[in-house]
């Protein structure tokens, strides 16, 4: 288990550009009657906060160097301000259990601070809990290539088709996902229909499951400062009855940055609802409900120093994205299904020179390995000592066992120069080229080995981890 060095959050006003499209009529699971006004985002212009450090660092994995399809993840494992729970357990679904809820609502509630309790007093928490709880699922992601698991929360938005909504960061890096409706306690394998990295939204699907109940959807555009809310989630990834946190909406239309201090990487989310509800690790992807038991947001982030704040994606914004994913409409932001995956680890470099890539990587990792070693179970690697004499291409730092690159005989120190009829000039171009393929597609890969040999192999691309 790796403890974060500390995650921090900042909040500023949203610029006019990023707001998402309003929720179209007929979005999956939306009980709003036909002809009801669409769910526009709240107007921009709310004053922002200063940068606020996260107050309770959670459990996450160390920074990884995956790119989609090429092996290095574009963002690193940013856990969004402590809200996701990740356990480095070699594939065993263990999480930190810091508190064990009882079987009843009274056993599930988190004690709020005095201010939150007073402001949220107009809401009957137990009534809201009983309304929303049947639609909640626990989400457990298998991060095969990281030899880890992640736990979070989701909720049903369309019971007939088994559509579930959660955060993208809950499934980020997942090769498979299991969900457990809390009403039944039975676990099912879920299909990753698609996700939007930039807005941190993912849609899962379970089919043939009887007794699902969709949550009621509210209008996030009707939310005002002071609205009582209840955050519900799978605290600490422990499963079982959800835990709850009452509070109020303290601000609207926030722009927040989630940062991983160990890597220096940050994510920016726009239009967020801010609340003093006590959102905790494992709540990611869970519902933020109003006093009528309607879901108005997705629990996503939390942080604070002197003043604690939680953040939720407005439900209208999330359902607009979910509708596109359910319809199979890919875009520059939306990935439908899992991406193709070659299975090589490459440097985080934009240089065309493999030696320059190696030099930059060595400065980052501080270690060197011999070339030509065997495949890797995970992504722990370092800069190869011997590098193929190629003038441009993508340097291979390592190869994941069982992937297309492993089957082809690619090793650390090799330099990939083309995929199909497209030249590979940098690690980023390798990622972009493989992104054009679907899992199961065949592609001719050409590479140069440290001894100068030129090799070509026809490979079948794997289904890669979610990004």
């Amino acid at each position: 288990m790796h403890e974060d060095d500390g995650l921090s959050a900042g909040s500023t006003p949203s610029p006019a550009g990023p707001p998402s499209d309003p929720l179209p009529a007929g979005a999956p699971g939306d009980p709003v009657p036909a002809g009801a006004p669409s769910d526009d985002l709240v107007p921009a212009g709310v004053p922002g906060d200063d940068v606020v450090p996260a107050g309770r660092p959670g459990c996450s994995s160390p920074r990884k160097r995956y790119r989609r399809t090429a092996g290095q993840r574009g963002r690193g494992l940013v856990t969004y301000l402590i809200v996701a729970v990740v356990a480095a357990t070699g594939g065993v679904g263990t999480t930190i259990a810091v508190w064990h809820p009882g079987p009843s609502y009274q056993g599930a509630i988190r004690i709020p601070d005095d201010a939150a309790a007073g402001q949220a007093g107009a809401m009957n928490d137990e009534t809201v809990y009983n309304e929303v709880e049947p639609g909640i699922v626990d989400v457990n992601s298998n991060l095969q290539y990281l030899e880890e698991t992640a736990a979070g929360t989701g909720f049903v938005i369309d019971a007939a088709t088994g559509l579930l909504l959660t955060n993208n960061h809950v499934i980020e890096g997942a090769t498979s996902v299991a969900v457990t409706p809390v009403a039944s306690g039975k676990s099912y394998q879920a299909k990753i229909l698609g996700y939007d990295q930039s807005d941190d939204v993912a849609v899962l699907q379970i089919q043939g499951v009887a007794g699902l109940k969709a949550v009621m959807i509210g209008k996030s555009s009707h939310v005002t400062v002071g609205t009582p809310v209840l955050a519900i989630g799978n605290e600490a990834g422990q499963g079982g009855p959800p835990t709850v946190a009452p509070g109020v909406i303290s601000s609207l239309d926030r722009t927040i940055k989630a940062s991983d201090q160990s890597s220096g990487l940050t994510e920016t989310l726009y239009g967020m609802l801010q609340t003093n509800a006590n959102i905790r690790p494992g709540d990611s992807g869970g519902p933020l409900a109003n006093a009528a038991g309607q879901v108005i947001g997705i629990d996503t982030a939390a942080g604070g120093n002197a003043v604690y704040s939680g953040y939720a994606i407005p439900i209208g914004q999330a359902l607009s994205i979910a509708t596109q994913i359910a319809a199979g409409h890919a875009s520059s932001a939306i990935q439908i299904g899992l991406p193709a995956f070659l299975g090589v680890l490459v440097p985080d470099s934009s240089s065309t020179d493999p030696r320059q890539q190696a030099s930059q990587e060595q400065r980052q990792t501080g270690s060197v390995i011999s070339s030509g070693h065997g495949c890797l179970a995970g992504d722990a690697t370092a800069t190869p000592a011997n590098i193929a004499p190629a003038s441009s291409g993508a340097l291979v730092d390592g190869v994941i066992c069982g992937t297309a690159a492993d089957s082809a005989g690619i090793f650390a120190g090799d330099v990939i120069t083309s995929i199909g009829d497209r030249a590979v000039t940098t690690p980023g171009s390798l990622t972009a080229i493989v992104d054009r393929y679907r899992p199961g597609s065949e592609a001719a890969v050409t590479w140069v080995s440290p001894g100068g040999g030129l090799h070509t192999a026809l490979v079948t691309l794997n289904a890669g981890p979610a990004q």
Side-chain angles (χ1 to χ4, degrees), residues 31 33 52 86 88 130 153 166 199 214 220 222 240 293 356 377 385 400 421 443:
V52 180
V86 179
N130 290 336
T153 314
T166 189
D199 286 295
S220 48
H222 293 178
Q356 181 65 25
I400 303 294
D421 59 355

Side-chain angles (χ1 to χ4, degrees), residues 12-19 44 253 255 270:
T12 58
S14 294
D253 198 32
T255 295
Y270 301 95

Side-chain angles (χ1 to χ4, degrees), residues 293-459:
Q294 300 169 331
V295 175
I296 58 170
I298 305 176
D299 304 334
T300 298
N305 192 356
V307 178
Y308 173 88
S309 293
Y311 298 92
I313 300 169
I315 195 63
Q317 179 178 337
L319 284 182
S320 177
I321 296 166
T323 300
Q324 297 175 61
I325 292 173
H329 295 159
S331 70
S332 58
I334 292 175
Q335 167 73 33
I336 300 300
L338 291 174
F341 189 60
L342 179 59
V344 296
L345 298 170
V346 298
D348 185 7
S349 171
S350 59
S351 174
T352 60
D353 183 352
R355 287 168 178 75
Q356 181 65 25
Q357 296 169 25
S359 176
Q360 293 172 349
E361 188 79 348
Q362 186 174 351
R363 286 196 296 270
Q364 293 173 6
T365 64
S367 57
V368 176
I369 57 174
S370 299
S371 302
H373 67 292
C375 65
L376 303 167
D379 75 336
T381 185
T383 307
N386 300 314
I387 299 172
S391 59
S392 67
L395 173 65
V396 176
D397 282 340
V399 175
I400 303 294
C401 296
T403 61
D406 183 28
S407 300
I410 298 173
F411 296 103
D414 293 344
V415 173
I416 297 175
T417 57
S418 69
I419 301 283
D421 59 355
R422 296 179 180 274
V424 173
T425 56
T426 64
S429 71
L430 175 60
T431 297
I433 292 169
V434 181
D435 274 351
R436 295 173 176 267
Y437 291 85
R438 298 297 301 164
S441 299
E442 290 187 335
V445 180
T446 299
W447 70 95
V448 180
S449 61
L454 185 66
H455 310 268
T456 298
L458 186 66
V459 304

Side-chain angles (χ1 to χ4, degrees), residues 46-125:
V46 180
D49 296 335
D50 295 329
V51 174
V52 180
R56 290 186 297 272
C59 179
S60 78
S61 69
R63 176 172 175 253
K64 303 300 180 182
R65 295 182 298 114
Y66 275 131
R67 271 194 199 279
R68 187 192 310 172
T69 73
Q72 178 177 347
R73 299 177 67 191
R75 298 187 295 163
L77 287 175
V78 178
T79 55
Y80 275 76
L81 309 175
I82 75 168
V83 193
V85 176
V86 179
T89 58
V92 179
T94 303
T95 55
I96 293 180
V98 297
W99 190 82
H100 297 279
S104 67
Y105 165 79
Q106 290 299 327
I109 192 168
R110 298 177 205 143
I111 304 301
D113 58 40
D114 292 341
Q119 292 169 310
M123 180 171 62
N124 188 318
D125 298 343

